[in-house]
Amino acid sequence: MGSQRSLVGQFEQPSQSLGDHQRLREDEREALLGALWRCMAILEFAADGTILDANDNFLSMLGYQRHEVIGQPHRMLCDPAYADSDGYQHFWQHLRQGEVIAGTLQRRRIDGTLVWLEALCSPILDGSGQLLKVISAASDISSHIDDSHHSNNVLSALNRSLGVIELSPEGRILAANRNYLKTMEYLAEDLIGQPHSLLCPSDYAAGEQYTAFWHDVSNGRFFSGRFPRRTRSGRTIWWEATYSPLLDPQGQLERVICIGNDVTYRVTREKSDREHLHLLSLGINETDNAVLITDEQNRIVFHNTGFTRMLGFQSQQTIGKLPRELFADHPTFVKSIERCHGELLQGHSFHTEELIHDFHEQPVWISAVVNPILDGEGKLINAVCVMTDITNTKVHEVLQYRVLNAMARDCSLPEQMNLLCEEVERVAPEVIASVLRVDEQGRLHTLAAPSLPEGYTRAIEGIQIGPLVGSCGSAAYTGESVVSEDIATDAHWADYKELALGHGLHACWSTPIKSADGKVIGTFGFYYRQPRQPTAFHHLLVDAGLHLCALAIEREASRARIHQLAFYDSLTSLPNRSLLLVQAGQAIAAAERNRSTVAVMFIDLDRFKQVNDSLGHQAGDELLRTVATRLQSQARRSDIVGRLSGDEFVVVLTQYDTDHLTEVVKRIQERLAMPCHINGTPLNPSASIGVAIYPDNGHDIETLLHRADIAMYQAKAVNRGRFSFFSEEMNSLAQERLALESALRDALRGGRFELHFQPQIKLHDLSLHGVEALARWHDPQLGQISPGRFIPIAEECGLIGELGKWALEEACFQLSDWRRRGIQVPSVSVNLSATNFHDLDLPQFLTGLLRRYSLAPTDLTLEITETVLMDTNPSTNQTIAAVHALGIPLAMDDFGTGYSSLGYLRKLPVCELKLDQSFVRDMAKDEAVSALTNAVIRIGESLKLIVVAEGVEDAEQYRLLVSQGCDVAQGYYFSRPMSADQLEHWVRDYRSSPVPTEHGSTPVKGI
């Protein structure tokens, strides 16, 4: 470049007045321009674009030598596409008009890469206002632009996930993004220009608080918090947002940006949690449970009133004490307390059930749960203990467990009663328990008295009951309890007191044991070694033991009855789960000894719920009995047949030939599938069967049952009425399914689903008939998951209804948005499941959607399959009729695949038949299939129904459908399913490039 002075001189300005401002000295100006020369990239070019000069900074920035640019056209420094654009012409037009251009420009380096410049282009005009040349001063800001791109990406992500609204200084709505409009249930044209107060509850918008809020925002104050807002439908939501005022260079408010999201669910949950905590704090002292809190030294620092009520200890006896000090006289419980403290120090919770004694030495059975409270370093600082009085429950549990277990083992009556007495004496050592039986002649016989002196029991054997025959004889005679606090002075013992006192017995309480018809069949007696009354704990023991005594004594047949109730299913008389597990466990143990195999069949009846719903539970019970009979008829003596629950049965095959196992399973399945009549109604039952084999698939019955269940589920998933053998692959599939179900719930709640749309083309003129909305799910960890995988899981785990409503909402919103922006899509169709039609509120939900998005009923089509009509839920037909009454068209999807689709056409108010793709796929190579498609099209024609062919993939299928007079088609031949943005481009391209419609012509694949 020439001299520095010659170029810099072009920036000199006319002299300033000598009034208020002193003229800049020449040396100061030269220093200033020199600094500009050294730090900026400077370029000089003529009015015709010829480059006149460039400083070293400019040449270095773009990588050129001086001789490579001087005399060259200015456009060589620009991207060729920009140099040929209208924008470049406008650049020169502004310069020729004398306008200074300042801003961000893009220029091309010698190697072809582009750099971003912050530039100031100053035109130099002659006396007549004509452009002489241009001086450009610039700096490289490429690195900042990169950061800006990153920031734009962040802002774009925020725009996709949050609601954004722009407000004027006066509080008028200037703009709102899609998320905000969707949340507030508005369309953009209905909201833009409206006051912000429209979105607020009326009482708040008219109040001083709102006025003060807007005053502060107008003065540049940021606001962040949760605010109640009102949607278009009048529903109040909670909006968590930040209001950010943007000021101009003079500090005046230019606009307000509000960014936020809908937190109504969270606010509602937090309110519920606060109420819950409030009630919990009230309940701490009102509960009957005892609560103790200890500090880091294991000393008691708090107890509630329930602790005093339960155990009798007052605060002065408790606060500051170690727990073991309260129970020092009971070493067994002290050991449990020490074990508990050791667990707490390791950060573990502790649970125990203990028989302890309160302050008054009365027994109390407690269930104690102790949880540690740790500091940030994992050190124990507190422990919270909650004790529940389970005396009543535990007494019954302890006594019943031993006695019922003895009954299950078919022990003798004396053995059962001895166990009962021993257990009573174990938990109440001050008691000597006895059980006497009364025979038909009214005489007493000892069944159990393990701690009574042998001489005493011999002496009372065979005594005749009467009003003054001790406590037991009198209780049996009167049928009422008899309490003798002091045998020495009680009249009931006048003739027998010497016998009792001589053996150290000083008090007795006897209660009659009665049969179901009220007859006294025995007595349950408690003796004491000193005069006293029975305690409340003793009453619990008697209450718990009486019915056990009655069961055991009433008659020997009662034991068989108890065995039947405990181990056999009352409906089918098959072994229940308990007995089945025992018997199967024994069979597996025998197989282990003999080194043989055992096969476990898990059998589940297909569509059993439909039998119950349509024919009633009596019919369902009869079917279960029929199945049980058939299973027993196929089982050998060594096999085990049992019923788990509901419609689930198990067959355990022992001593079978492994080569013929498949034949055995087939034979059982065929027997179960034989037609039968239930309450006069013919049925064709079927069952899905899973098989697991010992030892290949497990070494215990619980594992084998679980894996047979997995195999059964796999068989049912393929098709009902099948059987399957367990494999490790199935186990992996089961675990994968659980993971997929969990991910599905998260995806539905987290908004990870999106709709794709596939065009439907009218074949007579190739115009757009509508689009079908199809759910798509991409999981960050699992990748793209096909509808064939997630739709069945959604149906099984109860999410299909929610997924259907989401699809309806998204489809209506998208159609409304397209129309608002001039994208001409005639209608959208959405697939719904049977579960959606169980919802009687579906018509109301649809009405709200159509009103909210300004759509007509005919803009939306609901696609249903034959399974919806086969559904026996009473709400289904009612809901279908209500939807039809709204004027919303119904389409029967997958037509032709069900066994009674034609029959349902007579009942269902459908407007469209969707010919299943399995027919379309084979119609070009199978004349029979082509004839069937033609027949379906004729049926639609005669019933004035639109026939839509699915899965059209090639020109041959297209030509055949046209020749047969099919109305509408969709498939890859026209387009794959697309995102909403892709469909917009497709619609524009499709309308701008119409397809030939002459007879025999075909559309271009993929347009």
Side-chain angles (χ1 to χ4, degrees):
M1 199 169 207
S3 69
Q4 172 182 320
R5 180 178 302 275
S6 64
L7 180 58
V8 176
Q10 302 299 335
F11 288 98
E12 295 180 3
Q13 300 294 319
S15 299
Q16 297 177 330
S17 66
L18 298 178
D20 296 331
H21 300 284
Q22 184 180 1
R23 180 187 303 272
L24 290 174
R25 290 176 302 181
E26 186 68 24
D27 56 346
E28 292 176 345
R29 183 171 59 218
E30 289 298 324
L32 177 63
L33 295 177
L36 182 65
W37 173 272
R38 289 189 297 273
C39 67
M40 301 291 289
I42 299 177
L43 178 71
E44 179 181 354
F45 49 95
D48 63 356
T50 302
I51 297 174
L52 303 175
D53 209 343
N55 73 347
D56 293 340
N57 288 343
F58 188 91
L59 295 171
S60 174
M61 180 174 65
L62 296 185
Y64 286 98
Q65 298 291 327
R66 185 178 306 278
H67 68 274
E68 292 175 327
V69 297
I70 302 302
Q72 298 298 320
H74 176 269
R75 65 186 291 126
M76 72 171 287
L77 304 175
C78 302
D79 182 75
Y82 170 68
D84 293 333
S85 69
D86 292 338
Y88 188 64
Q89 299 303 319
H90 291 156
F91 170 79
W92 277 103
Q93 182 178 349
H94 288 297
L95 291 175
R96 291 188 181 100
Q97 292 173 358
E99 298 178 15
V100 175
I101 297 177
T104 303
L105 302 175
Q106 200 176 48
R107 292 297 179 254
R108 190 174 65 167
R109 291 174 53 85
I110 191 170
D111 59 4
T113 60
L114 298 177
V115 296
W116 287 93
L117 308 179
E118 186 70 34
L120 178 71
C121 298
S122 301
I124 306 299
L125 307 180
D126 61 13
S128 60
Q130 298 298 313
L131 180 66
L132 289 177
K133 58 182 176 179
V134 179
I135 304 298
S136 170
S139 60
D140 186 353
I141 60 168
S142 297
S143 60
H144 301 294
I145 291 295
D146 292 339
D147 291 341
S148 175
H149 286 173
H150 174 71
S151 300
N152 287 339
N153 290 337
V154 173
L155 291 175
S156 177
L158 289 174
N159 187 54
R160 290 195 299 272
S161 60
L162 298 175
V164 182
I165 182 173
E166 295 186 25
L167 305 168
S168 71
E170 297 78 24
R172 293 282 174 178
I173 298 171
L174 301 176
N177 73 347
R178 174 175 175 175
N179 286 339
Y180 193 88
L181 294 172
K182 183 177 179 181
T183 300
M184 303 307 295
E185 303 173 357
Y186 280 92
L187 296 177
E189 57 265 28
D190 297 330
L191 197 59
I192 303 303
Q194 297 295 326
H196 176 263
S197 58
L198 173 71
L199 305 172
C200 303
S202 55
D203 56 343
Y204 171 67
E208 295 181 359
Q209 185 179 0
Y210 180 73
T211 303
F213 159 76
W214 195 254
H215 176 268
D216 289 347
V217 171
S218 301
N219 284 279
R221 179 180 172 186
F222 287 81
F223 267 86
S224 180
R226 294 176 180 173
F227 310 94
R229 293 293 180 255
R230 186 178 60 185
T231 67
R232 185 172 186 173
S233 64
R235 181 170 58 90
T236 297
I237 66 169
W238 282 93
W239 182 249
E240 184 171 72
T242 298
Y243 285 80
S244 302
L246 302 183
L247 307 180
D248 62 16
Q250 289 74 40
Q252 298 299 312
L253 182 66
E254 187 175 75
R255 54 182 171 153
V256 178
I257 304 296
C258 172
I259 301 177
N261 63 337
D262 183 359
V263 295
T264 306
Y265 172 79
R266 193 193 314 161
V267 171
T268 304
R269 180 61 181 271
E270 289 173 356
K271 180 181 178 183
S272 174
D273 289 345
R274 286 194 300 271
E275 293 174 353
H276 174 73
L277 289 174
H278 175 64
L279 294 175
L280 184 61
S281 65
L282 290 177
I284 286 289
N285 273 316
E286 299 304 322
T287 180
D288 288 333
N289 291 341
V291 179
L292 273 184
I293 300 179
T294 59
D295 61 13
E296 69 277 6
Q297 297 176 349
N298 198 31
R299 295 192 177 276
I300 299 171
V301 295
F302 170 84
H303 73 83
N304 69 342
T305 56
F307 182 80
T308 301
R309 287 195 299 269
M310 182 185 296
L311 299 177
F313 293 96
Q314 302 297 325
S315 291
Q316 62 270 24
Q317 300 158 330
T318 307
I319 300 300
K321 297 288 185 66
L322 297 171
R324 58 183 175 84
E325 294 176 348
L326 302 181
F327 305 99
D329 295 335
H330 304 281
T332 302
F333 188 48
V334 169
K335 288 182 180 179
S336 183
I337 292 174
E338 292 173 348
R339 188 170 69 255
C340 168
H341 188 60
E343 291 290 325
L344 295 175
L345 290 174
Q346 297 180 41
H348 302 154
S349 296
F350 183 81
H351 174 250
T352 185
E353 292 181 355
E354 299 279 350
L355 179 62
I356 66 175
H357 290 76
D358 62 15
F359 180 73
H360 305 290
E361 290 301 317
Q362 294 301 310
V364 181
W365 224 309
I366 64 162
S367 171
V369 177
V370 191
N371 289 308
I373 307 299
L374 308 177
D375 63 13
E377 298 177 354
K379 180 182 177 183
L380 180 69
I381 56 175
N382 289 104
V384 180
C385 173
V386 179
M387 291 178 281
T388 305
D389 186 347
I390 59 170
T391 306
N392 193 359
T393 303
K394 196 66 178 180
V395 164
H396 283 78
E397 177 187 325
V398 168
L399 298 185
Q400 288 182 10
Y401 174 78
R402 296 202 66 181
V403 176
L404 290 178
N405 189 47
M407 290 179 180
R409 290 185 285 109
D410 204 24
C411 293
S412 66
L413 182 58
E415 285 180 286
Q416 297 170 29
M417 295 299 95
N418 262 301
L419 287 172
L420 176 63
C421 292
E422 289 170 356
E423 197 62 33
V424 167
E425 294 170 357
R426 183 182 72 83
V427 298
E430 67 278 11
V431 170
I432 300 172
S434 71
V435 178
L436 306 182
R437 180 165 58 89
V438 179
D439 65 16
E440 294 298 327
Q441 290 74 39
R443 296 183 179 277
L444 296 175
H445 302 280
T446 302
L447 282 176
S451 298
L452 275 178
E454 187 177 346
Y456 181 81
T457 57
R458 284 199 307 267
I460 65 174
E461 178 65 27
I463 289 180
Q464 184 72 41
I465 64 174
L468 298 173
V469 184
S471 298
C472 295
S474 301
Y477 182 81
T478 62
E480 301 291 338
S481 292
V482 175
V483 178
S484 298
E485 297 181 26
D486 189 347
I487 290 177
T489 59
D490 194 295
H492 292 95
W493 286 89
D495 296 334
Y496 302 96
K497 62 181 179 182
E498 299 300 332
L499 174 64
L501 295 173
H503 288 88
L505 307 175
H506 291 271
C508 183
W509 168 38
S510 185
T511 305
I513 302 169
K514 298 180 180 181
S515 64
D517 58 3
K519 179 182 177 181
V520 177
I521 57 176
T523 63
F524 191 20
F526 284 7
Y527 290 88
Y528 303 94
R529 296 178 179 87
Q530 63 277 332
R532 61 170 295 170
Q533 286 185 331
T535 66
F537 185 66
H538 298 158
H539 279 274
L540 286 175
L541 292 171
V542 169
D543 291 342
L546 274 178
H547 76 282
L548 294 172
C549 294
L551 284 173
I553 297 172
E554 189 168 5
R555 53 183 178 269
E556 287 298 322
S558 65
R559 289 187 297 171
R561 176 60 178 162
I562 293 171
H563 189 273
Q564 184 77 13
L565 290 175
F567 296 104
Y568 288 88
D569 174 47
S570 59
L571 179 65
T572 62
S573 297
L574 292 176
N576 63 11
R577 183 182 184 90
S578 298
L579 183 56
L580 177 68
L581 293 179
V582 172
Q583 293 178 340
Q586 293 170 348
I588 291 173
E592 183 177 10
R593 290 192 301 270
N594 301 330
R595 296 187 178 181
S596 58
T597 56
V598 172
V600 177
M601 297 172 54
F602 194 103
I603 302 169
D604 183 84
L605 299 185
D606 299 326
R607 293 181 289 274
F608 178 71
K609 183 178 182 298
Q610 294 183 10
V611 174
N612 269 340
D613 292 343
S614 57
L615 301 180
H617 288 281
Q618 289 185 345
D621 290 346
E622 182 61 29
L623 178 59
L624 292 175
R625 283 191 287 267
T626 300
V627 169
T629 301
R630 291 180 175 182
L631 288 175
Q632 287 176 308
S633 70
Q634 296 299 308
R636 300 163 301 166
R637 292 176 61 88
S638 60
D639 296 335
I640 304 168
V641 180
R643 180 187 177 205
L644 284 185
S645 63
D647 60 342
E648 296 175 343
F649 294 84
V650 171
V651 176
V652 180
L653 302 175
T654 62
Q655 303 175 12
Y656 67 91
D657 184 353
T658 55
D659 295 334
H660 297 91
L661 177 58
T662 301
E663 296 177 9
V664 173
V665 177
K666 282 183 179 179
R667 186 180 71 247
I668 292 175
Q669 194 165 46
E670 290 169 358
R671 182 72 181 91
L672 292 178
M674 291 180 64
C676 61
H677 283 76
I678 303 296
N679 291 349
T681 302
L683 289 180
N684 292 283
S686 68
S688 299
I689 301 177
V691 184
I693 300 173
Y694 167 85
D696 296 346
N697 306 138
H699 292 80
D700 59 84
I701 184 58
E702 291 285 6
T703 302
L704 292 169
L705 276 177
H706 174 64
R707 294 186 168 182
D709 187 13
I710 292 175
M712 181 280 297
Y713 176 83
Q714 184 71 15
K716 191 182 286 284
V718 175
N719 195 5
R720 299 179 189 274
R722 298 172 62 91
F723 67 87
S724 178
F725 288 82
F726 175 81
S727 65
E728 285 301 329
E729 290 79 9
M730 288 181 186
N731 199 19
S732 299
L733 288 173
Q735 295 177 9
E736 179 185 347
R737 182 188 176 280
L738 285 176
L740 199 60
E741 179 180 331
S742 176
L744 176 64
R745 293 181 185 276
D746 294 341
L748 195 55
R749 304 293 191 269
R752 295 193 190 124
F753 279 93
E754 66 172 328
L755 285 184
H756 282 201
F757 302 88
Q758 187 172 38
Q760 299 171 325
I761 306 300
K762 294 180 181 179
L763 295 183
H764 72 280
D765 61 0
L766 295 178
S767 64
L768 183 62
H769 173 70
V771 296
E772 179 180 0
L774 302 166
R776 294 293 184 264
W777 173 24
H778 181 82
D779 185 84
Q781 282 75 40
L782 303 176
Q784 193 71 29
I785 302 170
S786 70
R789 291 181 68 194
F790 68 76
I791 292 296
I793 293 177
E795 290 176 340
E796 291 169 17
C797 66
L799 294 176
I800 192 66
E802 187 177 346
L803 184 59
K805 283 192 170 183
W806 169 84
L808 286 170
E809 172 92 27
E810 284 293 311
C812 290
F813 176 83
Q814 188 59 62
L815 183 60
S816 173
D817 183 61
W818 279 331
R819 293 194 174 168
R820 180 178 60 83
R821 293 185 292 105
I823 308 301
Q824 298 301 313
V825 176
S827 66
V828 61
S829 61
V830 179
N831 292 275
L832 293 185
S833 73
T835 303
N836 291 109
F837 287 91
H838 294 172
D839 184 4
L840 292 175
D841 293 332
L842 179 62
Q844 183 179 355
F845 176 75
L846 291 169
T847 302
L849 284 180
L850 297 176
R851 183 185 303 115
R852 186 183 312 153
Y853 296 112
S854 302
L855 299 177
T858 53
D859 292 334
L860 177 66
T861 299
L862 303 184
E863 297 190 12
I864 59 177
T865 62
E866 184 182 315
T867 57
V868 175
L869 300 170
M870 295 175 64
D871 185 60
T872 56
N873 191 294
S875 304
T876 302
N877 290 333
Q878 182 180 347
T879 305
I880 289 176
V883 170
H884 177 65
L886 294 177
I888 297 175
L890 297 176
M892 180 177 279
D893 199 10
D894 301 334
F895 183 76
T897 59
Y899 65 87
S900 57
S901 292
L902 290 175
Y904 283 122
L905 278 183
R906 179 174 53 87
K907 296 190 270 183
L908 182 67
V910 297
C911 301
E912 288 186 4
L913 297 181
K914 299 200 73 176
L915 185 62
D916 187 70
Q917 60 182 344
S918 61
F919 291 96
V920 175
R921 181 175 57 247
D922 297 331
M923 64 184 298
K925 50 190 175 183
D926 191 326
E927 292 184 359
V929 174
S930 179
L932 286 173
T933 60
N934 187 57
V936 171
I937 294 171
R938 300 287 77 76
I939 290 172
E941 186 179 86
S942 62
L943 296 178
K944 295 181 172 54
L945 303 178
I946 297 173
V947 178
V948 180
E950 297 182 294
V952 180
E953 296 186 352
D954 57 44
E956 184 63 24
Q957 295 168 353
Y958 167 78
R959 283 192 291 271
L960 283 172
L961 289 169
V962 170
S963 67
Q964 291 182 355
C966 184
D967 302 306
V968 178
Q970 69 181 86
Y972 288 1
Y973 183 64
F974 302 100
S975 173
R976 292 175 176 269
M978 298 171 281
S979 67
D981 292 340
Q982 291 171 332
L983 186 76
E984 290 183 21
H985 296 299
W986 186 93
V987 170
R988 289 193 180 99
D989 293 344
Y990 189 76
R991 292 186 179 279
S992 63
S993 304
V995 179
T997 58
E998 293 81 3
H999 181 71
S1001 64
T1002 61
V1004 178
K1005 184 174 181 180
I1007 62 172

